[in-house]
Structures are given as C-alpha cells and as structure tokens.
Amino acid sequence: MLRFENVFFYRESANTISEVSFDLREGEFAALIGENGAGKSTLCRLCNGLLKPASGRVTVCGHDTATVSTSRIARDTGFLFQNPDMQLCQNTVYGEIMFGLEYALSDPEERKRRTGEILELFSLDGGRDPFSMSRGERQHVALASILACKPRLLILDEPTTGLDYRECVTIMGIISRLHSDGTTILMVSHDMEVVADFAVRALVLSKGRLIADGPVRQIMKDKKVLDEASLLPPQIPALAMLIGGDFSDVLTADEMAETAERAVRQKGARK
Amino acid sequence: MKGFFGYNPGNSILHRLNPLTKIVISIGLCLSCFLTRSHIVILAVIAFNLLLSASAVGLKRSLKMLLSLVKFSAVLFVVQVFFVKQGNVLLRLPPGVIYITDKGVLFSLLFALRLIAAAMPLSAMLSVTRISDISNVFVRSLRIPYKYAFVITTAIRFIPLFSEEMTNIMEAQTARGVQFDTKNFLKKIRLLLPLCVPLLISSVRKIEGGAISAELRGFNLRKRTSGYKTYPFGWSDAAALAVCGLIVALTVFV
Ligand SMILES: Nc1ncnc2c1ncn2[C@@H]1O[C@H](COP(=O)(O)OP(=O)(O)OP(=O)(O)O)[C@@H](O)[C@H]1O
Ligand SMILES: [Mg+2]
C-alpha cells in the first residue's frame, strides 16, 4: 500500500530524512512517533508526493510518487495536515465537504448525498462558517471533508493535538472505525496513550532515521528505543513494567484492569 | 520569493555599511537607470549591481536572483513589444494587425533592462540589511515616527510570509486533489482564485495577532531614543556614497 525504499530527503538546513525503508500493508494501522523536529511531517509529505525523495523510492497505492502527480495520488490518499486552517477554504461546512468531493465524485446528486451522510456521521451543522469555529471543531471539519472522499490510505499528521479528551476520543473513535472497515492508516502522534490504545504498529523516527519498527506492544517496552527518541512510555505500560511478572505484557487500561482482577482472584483462590 | 526579499547574514563591507547609506545607494542606483536612455549604460549598471551583490552574498545567489528577474522582464518585454506601432516594421505576424517594429523592440528592451536594473539594488540592499536596522535608522536618523517606520518594514517582511502561506495552502489543496501541479498556467490561475479568500482571512488574523502582541509588549511606549543600537557614519560610508554619486552623474552625462 505504502512502501519506502531507502529514502533520503534533504532540506537546506540539515538532512531531514535518511535511509528510511518500510512497507505498510493494506489494512494496517501504524503510528509514527518521534521527538519534535524528527522529520515526521516531512515523512508524511513524502508519502503523497508533496515532497519528492532525493534518492530512493516511495510507492503509494501502486503509484511511484516521483512520476505520478500529487493530485492523482490524492484520489486514493487522504491527508490531514497538522494545521487544519491551511485546508479549509470555503465559507460553510457544507461547501467545504462538497469542495473536496468535487474531484472524487463526478455526479452532483451523489455528491450531495455523500455530504449529507458525512455531516450526520460527524454531527456537524452544514451551515456554519468554519473560520468562526473552535480549533477542535475545525479539525473535525477538515477530517470530515477528507473522509468524504473515502480514501484507501489515510495519513494523519497529529490529528488529536490540541483537542480536549472528549474530542480526542470522538476523533479516534471515527478513525478506529475506519480502520476496522479496512482503511490503511498512518498516524503521527505525540500522545503515547492514543498510540498505545489504537495503533497496532509503531514506527519510531529520530533525527530523520527510522530507529525502530514493530508492534506497538513491543516498542512501548523497549527502553533503549524510547530513550533514544526522547519518548516517555504511557503511564500504564510504565507501571506494568515496574510491577513486572504477569503484568509485563499489559498495554492498555482494560488489560490492566483484567490482569489485576485475575491476580486478585488467584490470590483469593489460593487462600 | 524568500530569496528575493530575505536577509542574508554575513560580514562583508556592504553588510557593515550604515543602513542609511545602503538605502541611499540603492535608491541612487535605481534612479540612475531612469536618468539614461542608453542600453549600454544600463547594462553597465546591471553589471555593477551584479558585482556589488556578488561581493556580499556570493555569485551563485546573485546570478539566481538575476535569472529570475530576467525571466520576469522577458514576459513584460513580449507583452510590451506588440504595443509600440511607430518605426519600421521588422516582423509581421499572420493575422496582419500584429507586427513588431524596430522602435518597439528598442523601447521594450529599454523597459525590460530598466526593470532589472532597478530591482537589483533594492533586492541586494534587503539581502545585506536587517529589516529591524532599516526601521531603526528611519526612526533615529530621519526622525520618522516609529509607527510609520514599522509599517514600512512590516510590509516588506510580510511578502515572504505571504508567499509561504500561499505555498502551504496550495500544498494542502493539492493533497485534497486540486490539480495545482498541472503544467497549464491558466488552469492554475483559475484554481487559485477561490483560495484568495482563505489566504486573506488567515493573513488578517495573523496581522491582528501581531498587533495585539506588539501592543502588549509596549509598542506605543517606543520613542526615537528607545533603540540601544547606534549607527555611526564612517569613512567607508562616505566613500560608498561618493562612488554612487559618481555613477549617477555618469549616467546623466554619458
Ligand atoms: N519548509 C521547511 N524548510 C526548511 N526546513 C524545514 C521546513 N520544514 C521543516 N524543516 C526542518 O525539517 C526538520 C523536520 O521537520 P518536521 O516538520 O518534519 O518535524 P516534525 O517531526 O513534524 O516535528 P513536530 O513534532 O514539531 O511536528 C526540522 O528540523 C525543521 O527545521
Ligand atoms: Mg510535524
């Protein structure tokens, strides 16, 4: 679905991406994590051809980004930017969603129907002006307008940053529903709790190099990798690591509760 | 765009001149090419400009800037050359009414060369002078109220910001499937028009934010003597001004 082969990319200031290779298969949910300035946003832009690799090859949905135009790649790939304001350009939420669809669907009736569906799914009011909405609401609108096009691959650059807990849960709920419907997802996030709860695979980027690639479960416990990327494991796995024993495999709050319950029951049975 | 208006840090002679001297020189060089009607003199001024800018920011960057100016004025040349109808006809294009005359070519060439020669010193000046130095020297030496100096310099500073914002928005829309990466120039323009609204809105927001934060940091309290930097006027400034004066005089009399 998305494949990086030994990709290098340079900026005037420094080498931003060096020697990155990975392969994201259809239906995967990968999180891209790393410190500020590690090159995560740059990597995302390389995915859909907004930036072209200096050397190496990026293939997305069967297209080589060096030869296929970004607007063509955009038909299969949804891209949510770190800052939703760059993306919003219409006076109403309704118009915004229709605008994105203009290039995906040729039939106007079909477009209207799809817009209605999406407005309902996100419980948005189509008549409002996106520029007078709160940051979280604008993020919602931006995501809605991307999902309206039903992309096969979704690239999300920090979709939950700056949102409160409830909005974060709503957005992640929508994203994980898409994932279970078969959409491939690459998500940049600084929120380790979100990564641990939702992502399956983790790619760790540090100073432009991919220093780890594996199941989230394994990476959250790899002290060396986390230290190198200046990341802190989320509280639950950190606590689980401290307790050790039966708990060493615990990643999420639910698992923690389950394991604790089991441990207490075992203790009770022994008595 | 950024390269054209941006400051290029360095420590060359030009960098160390008094900002006011640099402003006067660049205006002088601009003027000189409007005072003459000779193509050769303007070419000489362009060569001198290139030399100046190369000594400060390097030949490669200067040539790059010159090249973009040449491209721009080439477009204007082509537009202009069809509008002058006097003189001997050099070339008649099939439709009949459109033709190119010798006077038209010379006039348009002069026009294009002037444009290049006038833009170069301004751009060179901006690449060797910090914008804050420009506004400070306006306030200190020319006694322009800080408010107005700030307006001028902020306008210059906003151009690259504006173009960066535009690039960002275009990127975001391309990622949504709008065909900004098309080779067709007219199509690109047509696609750009609906984006002017968000660009304007986000810029106005940015300016508003900037104004509020400037006010919060005591913008209105600033007086002529508030700056701690002084801008001494030295021998090198006098020499530079003399050279510039000489060039202007030469262009008038040659
Ligand atoms: N347009 C640009 N021009 C030049 N350098 C840039 C540009 N954008 C980013 N960089 C540089 O590239 C490096 C990587 O930036 P990038 O935005 O990819 O980091 P990031 O991992 O997304 O960081 P964050 O977590 O803050 O979003 C940074 O050192 C940055 O200074
Ligand atoms: Mg980023």
Side-chain angles (χ1 to χ4, degrees):
Chain A
M1 196 75 185
L2 173 65
R3 171 181 293 168
F4 274 59
E5 287 163 79
N6 207 10
V7 170
F8 283 77
F9 180 80
Y10 308 94
R11 281 255 158 80
E12 281 161 36
S13 43
N15 58 330
T16 0
I17 297 290
S18 27
E19 228 189 323
V20 168
S21 303
F22 65 89
D23 190 359
L24 203 62
R25 279 173 296 279
E26 182 124 33
E28 273 196 297
F29 191 149
L32 183 60
I33 52 184
E35 78 263 12
N36 281 125
K40 304 183 295 298
S41 301
T42 311
L43 191 81
C44 289
R45 281 180 164 75
L46 281 165
C47 288
N48 68 347
L50 279 177
L51 297 174
K52 314 277 185 203
S55 73
R57 196 143 71 118
V58 180
T59 337
V60 51
C61 302
H63 305 300
D64 185 340
T65 59
T67 50
V68 180
S69 73
T70 304
S71 47
R72 172 69 191 83
I73 293 172
R75 282 188 221 161
D76 302 317
T77 314
F79 193 107
L80 183 70
F81 280 78
Q82 211 165 342
N83 179 358
D85 293 348
M86 290 182 197
Q87 202 171 315
L88 304 176
C89 64
Q90 302 287 314
N91 291 326
T92 62
V93 172
Y94 185 83
E96 190 61 48
I97 293 171
M98 287 288 269
F99 180 77
L101 279 172
E102 212 163 289
Y103 299 90
L105 291 174
S106 46
D107 177 23
E109 285 308 310
E110 176 76 18
R111 243 184 268 159
K112 275 186 198 147
R113 209 177 48 74
R114 185 80 72 80
T115 308
E117 269 174 33
I118 286 285
L119 287 176
E120 198 160 317
L121 177 66
F122 279 77
S123 41
L124 287 165
D125 173 4
R128 287 187 64 191
D129 177 6
F131 288 98
S132 65
M133 289 175 140
S134 78
R135 157 81 211 239
E137 288 170 315
R138 289 204 300 275
Q139 187 91 335
H140 258 94
V141 175
L143 186 61
S145 70
I146 287 165
L147 294 191
C149 305
K150 300 215 161 122
R152 288 164 62 204
L153 169 67
L154 194 55
I155 298 164
L156 305 158
D157 198 349
E158 307 197 12
T160 59
T161 309
L163 302 189
D164 66 17
Y165 182 69
R166 209 178 56 199
E167 297 207 44
C168 172
V169 168
T170 323
I171 288 221
M172 286 317 297
I174 294 167
I175 292 173
S176 75
R177 195 145 11 108
L178 278 173
H179 173 232
S180 41
D181 288 347
T183 311
T184 317
I185 293 169
L186 179 67
M187 175 181 78
V188 173
S189 184
H190 282 294
D191 189 340
M192 291 300 140
E193 317 279 338
V194 168
V195 172
D197 282 351
F198 294 96
V200 182
R201 178 173 166 190
L203 304 167
V204 186
L205 206 61
S206 171
K207 300 193 185 71
R209 288 178 180 279
L210 200 61
I211 56 168
D213 174 7
V216 167
R217 192 169 285 278
Q218 187 185 322
I219 285 181
M220 287 300 167
K221 298 199 150 49
D222 194 335
K223 200 121 184 30
K224 206 171 118 250
V225 166
L226 292 179
D227 277 347
E228 195 175 337
S230 335
L231 295 168
L232 271 180
Q235 285 171 353
I236 298 222
L239 176 64
M241 261 191 279
L242 276 180
I243 303 174
D246 281 346
F247 286 85
S248 55
D249 248 2
V250 168
L251 190 66
T252 63
D254 287 346
E255 288 173 15
M256 182 60 114
E258 231 167 70
T259 321
E261 196 183 332
R262 211 174 327 121
V264 171
R265 270 181 215 285
Q266 273 174 6
K267 207 95 187 249
R270 240 179 280 154
K271 270 185 188 164
Chain B
M1 224 31 176
K2 202 169 179 180
F4 196 81
F5 293 98
Y7 173 69
N8 216 25
N11 202 22
S12 69
I13 301 175
L14 282 183
H15 279 93
R16 277 176 284 144
L17 285 181
N18 188 317
L20 200 57
T21 313
K22 288 185 261 189
I23 295 170
V24 171
I25 290 179
S26 70
I27 293 175
L29 287 175
C30 280
L31 270 184
S32 70
C33 58
F34 286 99
L35 292 175
T36 178
R37 298 193 60 91
S38 149
H39 294 85
I40 297 166
V41 172
I42 296 184
L43 275 176
V45 173
I46 290 178
F48 181 71
N49 285 337
L50 188 65
L51 207 70
L52 269 188
S53 128
S55 76
V57 298
L59 188 63
K60 198 170 154 205
R61 229 187 92 120
S62 312
L63 281 177
K64 219 163 138 193
M65 194 165 74
L66 182 62
L67 189 72
S68 59
L69 275 174
V70 167
K71 274 187 204 155
F72 184 68
S73 47
V75 174
L76 287 185
F77 174 81
V78 170
V79 172
Q80 182 88 31
V81 86
F82 290 111
F83 282 96
V84 181
K85 303 282 187 198
Q86 297 106 332
N88 305 320
V89 175
L90 287 183
L91 185 71
R92 197 177 280 279
L93 292 177
V97 271
I98 300 176
Y99 52 86
I100 296 175
T101 65
D102 55 350
K103 262 204 182 137
V105 170
L106 285 180
F107 178 78
S108 311
L109 195 62
L110 188 70
F111 181 79
L113 286 178
R114 269 185 185 159
L115 188 85
I116 297 173
M120 276 176 83
L122 288 181
S123 153
M125 189 266 287
L126 286 175
S127 70
V128 294
T129 322
R130 274 202 188 81
I131 298 216
S132 56
D133 282 340
I134 298 181
S135 68
N136 282 347
V137 82
F138 275 166
V139 175
R140 268 191 176 257
S141 312
L142 299 183
R143 306 193 174 234
I144 292 174
Y146 183 65
K147 234 187 220 170
Y148 301 117
F150 185 77
V151 168
I152 299 169
T153 53
T154 308
I156 298 174
R157 211 191 312 234
F158 253 95
I159 296 168
L161 281 184
F162 212 69
S163 82
E164 200 169 307
E165 186 93 342
M166 196 72 217
T167 323
N168 279 338
I169 290 181
M170 272 167 66
E171 258 190 3
Q173 300 306 330
T174 317
R176 278 174 85 180
V178 185
Q179 292 167 338
F180 279 121
D181 37 15
T182 170
K183 294 258 158 43
N184 186 337
F185 190 69
L186 287 177
K187 191 173 175 190
K188 200 164 166 179
I189 298 278
R190 216 184 53 231
L191 289 170
L192 263 176
L193 287 178
L195 291 187
C196 294
V197 179
L199 184 65
L200 217 66
I201 291 178
S202 71
S203 310
V204 169
R205 275 193 177 178
K206 223 173 239 176
I207 293 168
E208 207 180 340
I212 291 173
S213 62
E215 203 135 343
L216 285 175
R217 285 188 280 168
F219 180 80
N220 286 319
L221 301 176
R222 198 168 160 136
K223 294 272 157 4
R224 188 173 82 87
T225 49
S226 296
Y228 61 89
K229 243 181 162 172
T230 54
Y231 298 98
F233 193 83
W235 281 111
S236 52
D237 291 300
L241 282 178
V243 170
C244 171
L246 201 69
I247 291 175
V248 175
L250 274 176
T251 54
V252 173
F253 294 113
V254 171

